[in-house]
Structures are given as C-alpha cells and as structure tokens.
Amino acid sequence: MESTGFSHWLVVLVETFALLFVMLLAIAILVVLVMWVVDRNQTHNSVLRNFPVIGHFRYWFLHLGEFFRQYLYSSDREELPFNRAQRMWVYRAAKNSENTNAFGSTRDLRGEGVPFFVNAAFPSLGDHHVTPKPVRIGPYAREPYDHAAFFNISAMSFGALSAPAVRALSIGAAKAGIWMDTGEGGLAPYHLEGGCDIVFEIGTAKYGVRTPDGKLDDDKLLAICAHKQVKMVSIKLGQGAKPGMGGLLPAAKVTPEIAEIRGIPVGQDSQSPNRHLDIANVSQLMDAIAHIRRLTGKPTGFKAVFGDLQWIEQLCDEVDKRGIESAPDFIIVDGSEGGTGAAPQTLMEGVGLPLHEALPALVNTLIEKGMRDRIKVICSGKRITAYDVAWALSMGADFVNSARGFMLALGCIQSLQCNRNTCPTGITTQNPRLQRGLVVTDKSERVAHYAKNVMHEVGIIAHSCGVDDPRELDRTHCRVVGDDGISVPLIKLFPYPSATEQKA
C-alpha cells in the first residue's frame, strides 16, 4: 500500500513538472513571437529590424564583455584604467598580506613611459626604509598645518560615495595619520566620525556653504571650519576628468540627507556651474583665497587641471604685487587621467594635461618665480602604487592624493558603474541593499593598511636611492623609458629652471 501511494505521488509530481515545463515553453514561445513582431516593425534600430530576437544577443554580449574581459580574457597588464596587477597590489596592501612576488616581474620594463628608480651604490645601514618629516602648509595662516604623511585621500564627495564608504575612509584615515578631502559635496557627519584630519573643498556650486543663489555663505563656512578636524580649505576650480565642467550628481543619489547637507532640492539632478560665479580671473581667485583664509584662519589653496600655465605665472606676478603672504598656501594639480563618478567621455579622454606634463610644469613655474618654498604642491591622478607615488615625489610634489586607490582598498572591483547607482560593492551607491555589503569595521582597517603600506614601500624606494626622507627624491633619482626602449633621466626630460631669489 505504501509503495502504491508513493508511486501515485511520484506520478503526480512528474505530471506537474511536465505541465509547468509545457506552460513555460509556451510562454517563452509567445514572448519570442511578440519580440519578433516588435523588433521587425520598430524603426529605430536597424540590427533588430533585420535580425529580430537574435539581434538582442549583440547588446547582451556588449554589456557582459567588460566582465568577461576582466576575469577571463585580459592578461594581468592589459586592462584600463587599472590593470589586474595594479589592483591586486592594492588589494594585498589593503589586507596587509604578503606583498612579494617570486621568480620575476611581469611588468614590461621596456615599455614607453615606464618609470624606475636609480639605486645608490652604498645605501645606509639599518632600517631598509625611511620615514617622512612634517611639512608646514600655510605659514601665514592663523592655524598653519604641519603634516608628515605624503599619501592622502583625494576629493570624493558624500553623495558620490555612500555613507558607509565615507565612514570607513574617515576611520581608516585617522588610524593611518592621513588627511581626507571632503570633495565638493559638503561636510557630512560621516567625514568627522573617524577623527581624521579634514581638507574641506569648496566646489563651484559651494555645496554646504552656499546661499540660496549659489554664493558663499560666510557663516556656514565658519561653522564648518570651527571643527578642529578641518585643517585646510581647498577651492576647486576644476578636476582632471572633466575640465571646464561642473560635477553632476544624478537625481537617484540626491536623498533627503544629501540634499540637506548640500543645500539642494531632493530627487533632482544637481549640476554644478562650470566655474565659481565670483571667480573669473586670477585677481578674483586671489581675493577669494585671501577672504577665506582671513575668515577661517585655515591654510587655503586651490585645485585645478591645467591646459597651459600662463595663468599661474600671472598668479605669481599678482603675489609679487600683494606680498608673499597673499600666495595660495597650496595648489592641487589634477592630471587629466583623474577619475570621477560621471563625466562626458570627450572631456575625460581628450581635454587637459596629463599629470606627467602638468606636475613638472607647475613645479618649474613656481621655481622660476621664486615661490616653490612658499606654495606647497599636491598632485592627484592615477597614483595608486608605491612607485606611482615615488615618481610624483621625484617630480616635485610635496603630497600625493589618491581617490581610486582608496576605493580599491574599500573593495572596489572596477565594475565601472559609479554613475549608475548600482555599485556592487556598496561604495558609490545610495541603495541601502547594496551598501550593506560594505562593512565599515573591516574596510576601515583596509584603508589604514593600504595608506601605511604605500608610504612604507615608498620609504623603501627612497632608502634604496640613498636619501633620508621620501620628499628628498628628485628628478635625478628616477628614469623613464623612451620610445626606443632606452631610459632617460627625469632631469633630462624635465630640467630644473634657474630660480630667482626665493620670496619666502
């Protein structure tokens, strides 16, 4: 009897599944037929009109291709913007795991543009790395800033980043002793949560410190700079990924919290102006720097991507007229290879000087004008590994900022979805379900490990080159491979100009 009952239920189960299969097959056939009719009769797509149904595979493969290339087809050194070898170096540094290789490097040391460093014949005994000494920024400000760490977190706004991402960066930055730039999206509670040093950025829309008509609200700026953690103020003129264009925050990311912090309407696209309403020339930029520094007491400078540096010469001439104390305390030079959440491909790929040209040009201009000691140089733009950072120090930077390096430390997998609110790792999305994947306690440790390991390994390079401080690296310590496969010293490619008498 039990066997008969079991057989009965087995037959019923098989018949049910068979019926479900037939129903699903019928639905699939119906969907294909409807799709065929729609594709065949639509007029906006030639491929689908000529090849109904199967033409959709082309678009699915185009969408999936970047993921297949990332994991299956591309070699370790092929991908852009960061190849697998670079990303794996960051991941290992962030996890504080062993970051050594065996047998030999897979890096092509004959490729054009590859930098490498000139080791000293007799490096000093003792430790195999050297540590940086503090550098003073803003000697004429009421609250000058002394900071040793040369590798810091670049501008990334709350809104472009999720709250858990900002919290993890803040906590990790405090553990590593580095600063965190707020980006143009205003100061959020999450920036302050970790206790790290803060660089407050004022973008062209003046988010967080704006009046209803988009001008600077002094009272709001004073309230922000009253926080002891806020050490400097940066006026953002532009960024490398979109020169001449303000930032865009898509409506899907403008939550009530973000709208309140920025001072903008909820659920609407927020497009920043392409420049500050009150800064149209060098003189007005100098006025803005003077006003903000006098108001807040904080070192004040600006961030820009350069096309040509004639206006920097004009700025230095203006400083000569007004006095050395009027100079910007720092300049952040952003290379055209810099990243962003969203930018037109044309601007991202075809406008602005890349960092390898802009950085030495800026440093040389300041040397020629006798202001190199007075104005500190900070650079950003695709500097994520130790030798990337060491190259920038050799070229003349005092500090190096990184955004995407720290995103990778947070767990970014370079899925290229920053502008879609669908980031699978919870970093660049305001979707709570996706944010859940970013555990702050774990990722903040990785941020700290990454920063410390980058600076430690730059210290190893500096020690190998025979200097006592990473900032003592100069253009004699680095060579770059030319188009013939032979390396050339940086000092030959970018010779130092003759300096006029230093003004400070």
Side-chain angles (χ1 to χ4, degrees):
M1 293 291 293
E2 291 182 3
S3 176
T4 303
F6 175 77
S7 299
H8 171 72
W9 285 110
L10 183 61
V11 170
V12 170
L13 189 63
V14 171
E15 289 177 346
T16 301
F17 276 112
L19 181 61
L20 286 173
F21 176 76
V22 171
M23 290 176 60
L24 290 173
L25 183 61
I27 292 171
I29 292 173
L30 181 62
V31 168
V32 169
L33 288 174
V34 171
M35 188 182 295
W36 190 94
V37 172
V38 171
D39 289 347
R40 189 69 172 176
N41 291 281
Q42 56 82 34
T43 57
H44 65 275
N45 189 299
S46 300
V47 172
L48 296 181
R49 188 171 175 86
N50 289 334
F51 303 96
V53 182
I54 61 172
H56 287 280
F57 285 97
R58 174 178 182 269
Y59 302 99
W60 294 336
F61 290 146
L62 280 173
H63 173 68
L64 294 174
E66 65 188 47
F67 306 108
F68 284 120
R69 287 191 295 273
Q70 181 172 354
Y71 295 109
L72 298 177
Y73 304 140
S74 297
S75 73
D76 286 348
R77 299 285 179 176
E78 279 185 340
E79 293 176 87
L80 293 173
F82 299 102
N83 62 50
R84 189 183 296 115
Q86 292 172 310
R87 298 198 309 273
M88 291 306 298
W89 189 93
V90 174
Y91 294 150
R92 291 195 299 268
K95 294 176 183 177
N96 209 29
S97 58
E98 185 180 9
N99 217 352
T100 59
N101 290 334
F103 201 69
S105 173
T106 61
R107 191 184 190 207
D108 182 4
L109 299 180
R110 298 167 298 174
E112 184 177 1
V114 170
F116 61 88
F117 295 86
V118 181
N119 58 293
F122 306 103
S124 59
L125 294 173
D127 273 343
H128 62 280
H129 79 286
V130 295
T131 56
K133 300 176 181 66
V135 170
R136 171 156 288 194
I137 308 174
Y140 296 96
R142 292 196 302 275
E143 301 177 34
Y145 181 39
D146 296 315
H147 190 66
F150 53 80
F151 187 61
N152 299 278
I153 301 175
S154 194
M156 292 184 284
S157 303
F158 172 55
L161 297 190
S162 66
V166 176
R167 291 175 62 211
L169 289 170
S170 175
I171 296 169
K175 291 179 178 179
I178 64 177
W179 77 54
M180 178 184 185
D181 193 314
T182 64
E184 65 178 307
L187 182 70
Y190 314 112
H191 289 116
L192 300 170
E193 183 172 327
C196 68
D197 290 352
I198 296 291
V199 177
F200 179 70
E201 182 177 274
I202 302 176
T204 57
K206 295 183 170 61
Y207 292 130
V209 290
R210 59 183 278 130
T211 61
D213 58 351
K215 296 179 181 178
L216 181 66
D217 187 315
D218 286 356
D219 292 335
K220 290 180 180 179
L221 180 58
L222 273 174
I224 284 173
C225 290
H227 294 285
K228 291 295 184 183
Q229 288 173 240
V230 177
K231 301 298 185 181
M232 302 195 297
V233 179
S234 172
I235 301 171
K236 175 188 172 183
L237 301 182
Q239 69 183 91
K242 42 190 168 186
M245 180 179 182
L248 171 65
L249 188 67
K253 290 188 174 185
V254 186
T255 64
E257 180 182 34
I258 291 168
E260 181 180 358
I261 290 170
R262 294 196 177 207
I264 56 177
V266 179
Q268 297 181 21
D269 286 343
S270 183
Q271 176 71 62
S272 302
N274 58 0
R275 69 165 175 82
H276 289 267
L277 303 181
D278 55 342
I279 302 176
N281 52 52
V282 164
S283 180
Q284 290 178 352
L285 173 60
M286 295 283 290
D287 291 342
I289 292 170
H291 172 72
I292 292 170
R293 183 167 48 213
R294 183 170 57 249
L295 178 71
T296 66
K298 312 286 184 178
T300 304
F302 64 88
K303 172 182 176 178
V305 54
F306 295 113
D308 79 75
L309 276 82
Q310 186 176 2
W311 69 276
I312 296 295
E313 296 178 10
Q314 296 171 3
L315 183 143
C316 292
D317 293 339
E318 187 72 15
V319 171
D320 276 335
K321 295 177 185 176
R322 300 187 184 202
I324 194 63
E325 68 280 357
S326 69
D329 295 309
F330 60 88
I331 297 175
I332 303 175
V333 50
D334 195 16
S336 61
E337 62 270 67
T340 186
Q345 184 174 347
T346 301
L347 289 181
M348 186 179 286
E349 297 182 354
V351 180
L353 286 178
L355 192 65
H356 71 266
E357 290 188 42
L359 176 57
L362 173 62
V363 170
N364 283 5
T365 300
L366 295 179
I367 292 173
E368 287 175 345
K369 294 294 184 176
M371 295 184 185
R372 180 64 190 90
D373 290 343
R374 170 68 179 92
I375 301 173
K376 301 308 175 190
V377 174
I378 306 168
C379 76
S380 57
K382 221 173 179 183
R383 308 292 98 189
I384 70 168
T385 64
Y387 50 76
D388 293 332
V389 175
W391 170 90
L393 296 178
S394 298
M395 200 62 95
D398 297 296
F399 301 91
V400 180
N401 283 349
S402 179
R404 287 171 292 180
F406 284 98
M407 288 175 65
L408 290 169
L410 286 172
C412 170
I413 60 172
Q414 195 171 280
S415 62
L416 309 179
Q417 298 185 54
C418 306
N419 58 333
R420 302 174 191 169
N421 204 34
T422 55
C423 172
T425 56
I427 299 172
T428 62
T429 178
Q430 301 307 316
N431 184 327
R433 182 181 66 83
L434 294 172
Q435 289 180 4
R436 183 179 178 276
L438 199 161
V439 180
V440 172
T441 52
D442 175 69
K443 302 305 183 186
S444 61
E445 290 291 333
R446 296 191 181 194
V447 167
H449 290 325
Y450 171 57
K452 290 178 180 179
N453 282 321
V454 168
M455 289 189 284
H456 179 83
E457 296 207 11
V458 172
I460 291 176
I461 293 173
H463 175 269
S464 178
C465 291
V467 298
D468 295 326
D469 186 308
R471 290 191 179 91
E472 292 179 12
L473 290 169
D474 62 31
R475 298 176 197 176
T476 65
H477 295 117
C478 185
R479 300 174 69 94
V480 178
V481 178
D483 57 6
D484 57 357
I486 305 299
S487 67
V488 180
L490 281 183
I491 190 70
K492 184 175 180 180
L493 286 175
F494 303 99
Y496 292 111
S498 57
T500 59
E501 182 181 350
Q502 289 289 324
K503 305 292 193 293

Short mmCIF file of all heavy atoms in Angstrom, two decimals, residues 237-261:
data_model
loop_
_atom_site.label_atom_id
_atom_site.label_comp_id
_atom_site.label_asym_id
_atom_site.label_seq_id
_atom_site.Cartn_x
_atom_site.Cartn_y
_atom_site.Cartn_z
N LEU A 237 38.66 74.65 -8.62
CA LEU A 237 38.41 75.32 -9.89
C LEU A 237 37.99 74.31 -10.95
O LEU A 237 37.21 74.63 -11.85
CB LEU A 237 39.66 76.06 -10.36
CG LEU A 237 40.21 77.15 -9.42
CD1 LEU A 237 41.42 77.81 -10.05
CD2 LEU A 237 39.14 78.17 -9.07
N GLY A 238 38.54 73.10 -10.88
CA GLY A 238 38.21 72.07 -11.85
C GLY A 238 38.88 70.77 -11.47
O GLY A 238 39.69 70.72 -10.54
N GLN A 239 38.53 69.71 -12.19
CA GLN A 239 39.16 68.41 -11.95
C GLN A 239 39.52 67.76 -13.26
O GLN A 239 38.96 68.07 -14.32
CB GLN A 239 38.26 67.50 -11.12
CG GLN A 239 37.02 67.01 -11.82
CD GLN A 239 36.13 66.18 -10.90
OE1 GLN A 239 35.25 66.70 -10.25
NE2 GLN A 239 36.36 64.88 -10.89
N GLY A 240 40.49 66.82 -13.18
CA GLY A 240 41.09 66.27 -14.38
C GLY A 240 40.15 65.54 -15.30
O GLY A 240 40.33 65.56 -16.52
N ALA A 241 39.14 64.86 -14.75
CA ALA A 241 38.26 64.05 -15.58
C ALA A 241 37.25 64.87 -16.36
O ALA A 241 36.66 64.38 -17.31
CB ALA A 241 37.53 63.01 -14.73
N LYS A 242 37.03 66.12 -15.95
CA LYS A 242 36.05 66.95 -16.66
C LYS A 242 36.43 68.43 -16.57
O LYS A 242 35.75 69.21 -15.92
CB LYS A 242 34.64 66.71 -16.14
CG LYS A 242 34.52 66.59 -14.62
CD LYS A 242 33.12 66.12 -14.25
CE LYS A 242 33.07 65.71 -12.79
NZ LYS A 242 31.78 65.10 -12.42
N PRO A 243 37.52 68.83 -17.24
CA PRO A 243 37.93 70.23 -17.23
C PRO A 243 36.86 71.12 -17.84
O PRO A 243 36.28 70.79 -18.88
CB PRO A 243 39.20 70.23 -18.09
CG PRO A 243 39.64 68.80 -18.16
CD PRO A 243 38.40 67.99 -18.06
N GLY A 244 36.59 72.24 -17.19
CA GLY A 244 35.62 73.19 -17.72
C GLY A 244 34.19 72.79 -17.52
O GLY A 244 33.28 73.43 -18.08
N MET A 245 33.94 71.77 -16.70
CA MET A 245 32.57 71.32 -16.47
C MET A 245 32.39 71.02 -15.00
O MET A 245 33.24 70.40 -14.37
CB MET A 245 32.28 70.04 -17.28
CG MET A 245 30.88 69.50 -17.10
SD MET A 245 30.62 68.01 -18.11
CE MET A 245 28.90 67.67 -17.73
N GLY A 246 31.28 71.47 -14.44
CA GLY A 246 30.99 71.18 -13.04
C GLY A 246 30.53 69.76 -12.84
O GLY A 246 30.16 69.06 -13.78
N GLY A 247 30.56 69.31 -11.60
CA GLY A 247 30.15 67.95 -11.28
C GLY A 247 28.65 67.75 -11.44
O GLY A 247 27.86 68.68 -11.31
N LEU A 248 28.26 66.51 -11.72
CA LEU A 248 26.85 66.15 -11.84
C LEU A 248 26.54 65.05 -10.84
O LEU A 248 27.17 64.00 -10.84
CB LEU A 248 26.52 65.66 -13.25
CG LEU A 248 25.12 65.05 -13.43
CD1 LEU A 248 24.04 66.12 -13.21
CD2 LEU A 248 24.97 64.43 -14.82
N LEU A 249 25.55 65.32 -9.96
CA LEU A 249 25.05 64.29 -9.06
C LEU A 249 23.67 63.87 -9.56
O LEU A 249 22.73 64.67 -9.53
CB LEU A 249 24.96 64.81 -7.62
CG LEU A 249 24.63 63.74 -6.57
CD1 LEU A 249 25.77 62.74 -6.43
CD2 LEU A 249 24.32 64.38 -5.22
N PRO A 250 23.54 62.61 -10.05
CA PRO A 250 22.25 62.18 -10.60
C PRO A 250 21.14 62.21 -9.55
O PRO A 250 21.39 62.03 -8.35
CB PRO A 250 22.52 60.73 -11.05
CG PRO A 250 24.00 60.64 -11.17
CD PRO A 250 24.56 61.57 -10.15
N ALA A 251 19.91 62.43 -10.01
CA ALA A 251 18.77 62.55 -9.11
C ALA A 251 18.61 61.35 -8.19
O ALA A 251 18.22 61.49 -7.02
CB ALA A 251 17.50 62.75 -9.93
N ALA A 252 18.94 60.16 -8.69
CA ALA A 252 18.79 58.94 -7.89
C ALA A 252 19.65 58.97 -6.63
O ALA A 252 19.36 58.27 -5.65
CB ALA A 252 19.13 57.71 -8.73
N LYS A 253 20.71 59.76 -6.64
CA LYS A 253 21.60 59.84 -5.49
C LYS A 253 21.29 61.01 -4.56
O LYS A 253 21.90 61.13 -3.50
CB LYS A 253 23.06 59.95 -5.96
CG LYS A 253 23.62 58.68 -6.59
CD LYS A 253 25.11 58.81 -6.85
CE LYS A 253 25.72 57.51 -7.34
NZ LYS A 253 27.18 57.60 -7.48
N VAL A 254 20.36 61.88 -4.96
CA VAL A 254 20.05 63.06 -4.14
C VAL A 254 18.97 62.69 -3.12
O VAL A 254 17.79 62.99 -3.30
CB VAL A 254 19.63 64.26 -5.00
CG1 VAL A 254 19.46 65.51 -4.13
CG2 VAL A 254 20.67 64.53 -6.08
N THR A 255 19.39 62.02 -2.06
CA THR A 255 18.48 61.64 -0.98
C THR A 255 18.20 62.86 -0.11
O THR A 255 18.89 63.88 -0.21
CB THR A 255 19.12 60.54 -0.12
OG1 THR A 255 20.30 61.08 0.51
CG2 THR A 255 19.52 59.33 -0.98
N PRO A 256 17.19 62.78 0.78
CA PRO A 256 16.92 63.92 1.68
C PRO A 256 18.15 64.32 2.50
O PRO A 256 18.40 65.51 2.71
CB PRO A 256 15.80 63.38 2.57
CG PRO A 256 15.07 62.40 1.71
CD PRO A 256 16.14 61.75 0.88
N GLU A 257 18.93 63.35 2.97
CA GLU A 257 20.11 63.66 3.77
C GLU A 257 21.15 64.41 2.94
O GLU A 257 21.71 65.41 3.39
CB GLU A 257 20.71 62.38 4.33
CG GLU A 257 21.94 62.61 5.19
CD GLU A 257 22.56 61.32 5.70
OE1 GLU A 257 22.50 60.30 4.96
OE2 GLU A 257 23.10 61.32 6.81
N ILE A 258 21.41 63.92 1.74
CA ILE A 258 22.40 64.56 0.86
C ILE A 258 21.94 65.95 0.46
O ILE A 258 22.72 66.90 0.42
CB ILE A 258 22.67 63.67 -0.37
CG1 ILE A 258 23.42 62.40 0.06
CG2 ILE A 258 23.45 64.43 -1.44
CD1 ILE A 258 23.47 61.34 -1.01
N ALA A 259 20.64 66.07 0.16
CA ALA A 259 20.10 67.38 -0.21
C ALA A 259 20.25 68.39 0.92
O ALA A 259 20.60 69.56 0.68
CB ALA A 259 18.62 67.23 -0.58
N GLU A 260 20.05 67.95 2.15
CA GLU A 260 20.18 68.87 3.29
C GLU A 260 21.64 69.31 3.47
O GLU A 260 21.92 70.50 3.71
CB GLU A 260 19.69 68.19 4.56
CG GLU A 260 19.76 69.08 5.79
CD GLU A 260 19.26 68.39 7.05
OE1 GLU A 260 18.83 67.23 6.96
OE2 GLU A 260 19.32 69.02 8.12
N ILE A 261 22.56 68.36 3.36
CA ILE A 261 23.98 68.70 3.54
C ILE A 261 24.46 69.65 2.44
O ILE A 261 25.20 70.60 2.69
CB ILE A 261 24.83 67.42 3.56
CG1 ILE A 261 24.57 66.63 4.84
CG2 ILE A 261 26.32 67.74 3.44
CD1 ILE A 261 25.18 65.25 4.85
#
